[in-house]
Amino acid sequence: MALLELKQLHKRFGGLHAVNDVSFRVEPGQIKAVIGPNGAGKTTLFNMISGTFPATSGSVFFQGKDLKGKKPFQVASLGMARTFQNIKMFNGMTALENVMVGRHVRSHAGFLASMFRMPWTWKEERDIREKSMELLALLEIEEHAHTDAVSLAFGQQRAVELARALALEPSLLLLDEPAAGLNIYETAEVGRLITKIRDLGITVLLVEHDMSLVMDISDEIVVLCFGEKIAEDVPATIQQDPEVIKIYLGEE
Amino acid sequence: MKKILSILPLLVAVIGLHILTSATDTMYYLTQMTMSAYYSLLIIGLCALMGYAGQISIGHAGFFAIGGYISAALTTRSLIPYQDSFLVKLFDSAGFLFVGQDIYGDSLLVFTPWAACGIAVLTAALIAVAIGIPVLKLKGHYLAMATLGFGIIVYRIALATEYFGEADGISEVPAFVLLPGLSVSGSFGDRVQNYYIAWGLLLIGMLLLLNLMDSRVGRALRGIHGSDEAADAMGVNTARFKLQTFVLSAVFAAIAGVFLTHYNGGIGPSEAGVMKSVRYVAIVAVGGMANLWGTLLMGIVLNFFSLRGSFGSYDDAVFGLILILIMLFAPNGILSINIRSCLRLLPGRNKADREGEV
């Protein structure tokens, strides 16, 4: 069974078909990329998968469950984490605290238990902290754990955002342009981290502009153009696809 | 444990102030310190809502008034004319009522302060739920306006309802006997114990909120403040958490209202006034928004001077001015003031600064 399956997904904004009849599957353990020129509907597609807004028609199945009507926080609690194109750090919180928020769906303390610091929350709190530190170490930024997250370099903020998403223990990780705003060294670094994350057994679906990154790390690529899927294959084949070359480089 | 240690200096300061005032024969200050403590209880609750969860409310005097007025009305308005009704019998059999006497010696059938307090706080919480569900969908200015509207409604109801004493408010509210020998009342002999009751309540409130902010829930709230969308993507049910914080802050306000009303022996419509709500917002801003300690400190200091009459007839104007100055010069609160960055805001300084940087 595919981990994620999109079936004839449509999104219309007024007269504009932002996403038009897109279907594909993401198999467990894959790194799958969605590419396409600006305005191809990549982010719209992501927002429908994560529940930010509903599809006009069509459906999204995650682990065999229809996500229809589910809000983002409900989708997250099913085990789907995401990052944002323009990094959304929680400002006023340290890198570690940012990651600790990621443990939200894996912990339970509510208002009263937290206010009265019930003994059972002590262990939970310790576990949240330890697990979050481990993730910061995995992404090689543990020395910045106690730094205010927004004062970190952009590349480091990306790493914090990845750690925060991983803290949710997702089975599927959605990455919205993980290399946006990064220089070539930082992009290579993010590529290495994404491969590392896949090696942990987490399936990755990413939207990306940076061709070198996508070709390096993806197992499969979906190409969108004006909201429609025009190709879906392994990187080597996509690179040779005349239509893909045409939309990226223009016609001769 | 760490949290308990962190409020220890405050506890020492509270006891120290008592000793100091008794040594210098200025015990009358304890009265304003008691009242300031109750206002500060409301203010730290508002700090949790505004500073941490990032949701403004310009209607919290409304919740204070709901607590105070309901407790005052239930403990003073006699139910003797209705004593045959089912509801009154039900309350009586539950032990909520007792027979007392008013100042003219006529007998009264009224609620016990404990029952009245419970009903008042519960009512405030339920109203907070009913108001919070629709208005917390709003953001920024719109939320500010909606909560302002709520505050105005409460004020007008207090002013126009005979049951709540119209413009006179409710007076002759009896003492609230917490335990035998321990009562919230304004009588001269109880001044010291009331000072400790108020500060004890404030310290407990502070401890609970400090615990809350350093927990799974607190991090989620600060996350909502930082980025609603990202918190949502991390699985935080943002609507529910905002509502719960709103209700929590309303409960703090209502408890403060109940206690201060019994302490003062009455409540009037000015407690529900919009300027009161603005004042509470100003104090949270001066305290540094997401800063419980700063807010507590400013709550005590500013309320104390206001109650001592230091600002004279310009009382409300002073709080308005404070709000403007804080927004201009120290949006992160008075404890964060950086002299150099303030100078930069003065007219004529900008150009010089920019040239200096190049």
Side-chain angles (χ1 to χ4, degrees):
Chain A
M1 186 182 70
L3 183 63
L4 182 77
E5 185 168 10
L6 312 188
K7 284 186 181 162
Q8 290 155 357
L9 218 50
H10 274 274
K11 183 71 196 181
R12 204 175 305 138
F13 293 113
L16 175 79
H17 285 272
V19 170
N20 197 355
D21 197 23
V22 171
S23 307
F24 64 83
R25 299 151 68 98
V26 182
E27 302 297 335
Q30 272 190 324
I31 296 181
K32 189 147 189 164
V34 178
I35 62 170
N38 274 329
K42 304 184 297 286
T43 296
T44 306
L45 193 70
F46 254 40
N47 284 337
M48 283 190 286
I49 297 171
S50 63
T52 309
F53 47 64
T56 308
S57 68
S59 37
V60 179
F61 288 90
F62 178 56
Q63 295 172 325
K65 274 193 217 81
D66 191 348
L67 296 186
K68 194 175 180 64
K70 292 246 188 310
K71 299 219 167 63
F73 76 90
Q74 292 165 320
V75 174
S77 65
L78 293 174
M80 191 195 294
R82 72 169 292 183
T83 64
F84 296 88
Q85 187 177 339
N86 42 347
I87 301 176
K88 291 188 196 292
M89 286 284 102
F90 298 132
N91 46 13
M93 298 174 81
T94 65
L96 177 63
E97 286 173 324
N98 262 274
V99 179
M100 287 168 84
V101 177
R103 294 299 294 163
H104 190 82
V105 300
R106 303 289 170 200
S107 45
H108 306 97
F111 272 76
L112 289 177
S114 297
M115 285 167 81
F116 292 97
R117 200 137 289 212
M118 305 303 268
W120 64 265
T121 65
W122 302 350
K123 186 181 176 306
E124 183 177 280
E125 194 68 13
R126 204 168 52 235
D127 289 347
I128 291 173
R129 189 170 292 271
E130 279 168 11
K131 180 82 187 170
S132 304
M133 276 310 284
E134 276 169 31
L135 287 167
L136 286 172
L138 179 78
L139 297 179
E140 297 151 31
I141 40 167
E142 73 267 40
E143 72 264 36
H144 301 298
H146 301 290
T147 312
D148 197 5
V150 287
S151 67
L152 291 173
F154 209 62
Q156 291 165 338
Q157 289 192 29
R158 275 277 177 235
V160 174
E161 207 191 19
L162 280 174
R164 187 174 74 186
L166 289 179
L168 203 137
E169 291 177 34
S171 45
L172 177 67
L173 182 58
L174 304 181
L175 304 175
D176 194 354
E177 299 208 21
L182 302 185
N183 63 35
I184 51 169
Y185 303 107
E186 288 171 325
T187 301
E189 184 60 27
V190 162
R192 204 171 58 77
L193 291 177
I194 294 171
T195 317
K196 206 168 168 181
I197 289 166
R198 193 263 315 269
D199 294 343
L200 294 172
I202 296 166
T203 310
V204 178
L205 177 66
L206 70 148
V207 156
E208 187 50 70
H209 263 311
D210 191 291
M211 276 304 143
S212 61
L213 175 69
V214 169
M215 294 301 165
D216 274 354
I217 65 170
S218 312
D219 298 310
E220 276 187 335
I221 297 175
V222 171
V223 186
L224 290 187
C225 186
F226 294 116
E228 289 183 47
K229 184 174 96 172
I230 59 165
E232 178 179 10
D233 219 319
V234 295
T237 316
I238 293 288
Q239 269 170 320
Q240 307 301 323
D241 190 304
E243 201 170 354
V244 176
I245 294 170
K246 195 173 81 187
I247 63 165
Y248 268 91
L249 299 176
E251 283 178 270
E252 282 179 41
Chain B
M1 204 56 217
K2 229 166 51 199
K3 294 287 169 331
I4 294 180
L5 287 179
S6 79
I7 66 162
L8 215 57
L10 186 59
L11 191 63
V12 172
V14 170
I15 297 169
L17 190 73
H18 172 213
I19 295 169
L20 188 71
T21 53
S22 79
T24 57
D25 208 18
T26 50
M27 296 257 286
Y28 47 83
Y29 285 135
L30 293 187
T31 302
Q32 286 84 37
M33 286 305 282
T34 304
M35 293 168 76
S36 297
Y38 288 133
Y39 285 124
S40 299
L41 183 66
L42 176 154
I43 291 164
I44 58 171
L46 185 61
C47 174
L49 179 69
M50 273 178 62
Y52 291 88
Q55 309 301 308
I56 195 173
S57 166
I58 319 186
H60 260 53
F63 291 115
F64 180 96
I66 289 169
Y69 264 104
I70 291 179
S71 192
L74 292 181
T75 52
T76 53
R77 300 285 191 246
S78 182
L79 294 169
I80 285 173
Y82 315 104
Q83 61 184 331
D84 293 327
S85 83
F86 171 74
L87 218 53
V88 172
K89 279 183 178 154
L90 189 74
F91 284 133
D92 201 15
S93 61
F96 285 3
L97 306 178
F98 79 109
V99 178
Q101 274 186 340
D102 67 12
I103 51 168
Y104 309 108
D106 295 328
S107 61
L108 295 170
L109 180 64
V110 291
F111 278 82
T112 65
W114 269 113
C117 172
I119 293 170
V121 174
L122 193 67
T123 308
L126 291 176
I127 292 174
V129 172
I131 298 288
I133 289 173
V135 306
L136 289 171
K137 292 198 176 110
L138 305 171
K139 286 186 167 56
H141 308 326
Y142 301 100
L143 178 62
M145 284 190 272
T147 52
L148 178 65
F150 163 73
I152 293 170
I153 291 169
V154 174
Y155 174 65
R156 282 285 149 188
I157 289 175
L159 203 57
T161 311
E162 202 192 331
Y163 182 67
F164 293 128
E166 294 173 340
D168 297 329
I170 300 174
S171 52
E172 287 147 35
V173 176
F176 183 174
V177 182
L178 297 171
L179 295 167
L182 191 67
S183 63
V184 181
S185 81
S187 81
F188 188 76
D190 290 344
R191 186 155 68 192
V192 172
Q193 64 161 291
N194 269 279
Y195 170 72
Y196 283 106
I197 291 169
W199 278 87
L201 199 63
L202 180 60
L203 286 176
I204 292 169
M206 188 68 180
L207 191 61
L208 293 179
L209 291 182
L210 286 170
N211 276 343
L212 182 68
M213 291 316 156
D214 182 29
S215 74
R216 171 178 179 264
V217 175
R219 284 187 300 270
L221 293 177
R222 289 151 68 200
I224 292 171
H225 194 179
S227 166
D228 216 317
E229 206 182 342
D232 201 3
M234 290 296 110
V236 178
N237 186 343
T238 56
R240 205 176 94 200
F241 272 59
K242 285 179 200 172
L243 182 65
Q244 285 180 315
T245 314
F246 190 68
V247 173
L248 179 71
S249 67
V251 165
F252 269 59
I255 291 174
V258 170
F259 275 71
L260 189 56
T261 299
H262 285 281
Y263 180 67
N264 285 342
I267 184 169
S270 71
E271 288 298 347
V274 168
M275 273 317 294
K276 284 276 184 184
S277 293
V278 172
R279 161 183 307 206
Y280 302 142
V281 170
I283 291 174
V284 173
V286 179
M289 290 295 199
N291 184 343
L292 281 168
W293 282 110
T295 302
L296 177 74
L297 185 68
M298 288 302 129
I300 294 300
V301 171
L302 292 175
N303 274 303
F304 179 79
F305 284 114
S306 171
L307 290 163
R308 287 297 303 170
S310 307
F311 308 137
S313 315
Y314 297 109
D315 206 35
D316 284 339
V318 168
F319 282 95
L321 184 66
I322 287 172
L323 195 54
I324 294 173
L325 292 177
I326 282 296
M327 289 303 142
L328 269 178
F329 297 112
N332 293 317
I334 203 151
L335 302 179
S336 75
I337 284 185
N338 173 337
I339 302 296
R340 277 188 57 194
S341 66
C342 291
L343 289 177
R344 201 166 299 158
L345 285 168
L346 293 176
R349 293 281 307 194
N350 279 349
K351 209 172 137 208
D353 255 24
R354 240 179 283 135
E355 279 164 2
E357 276 164 23
V358 176

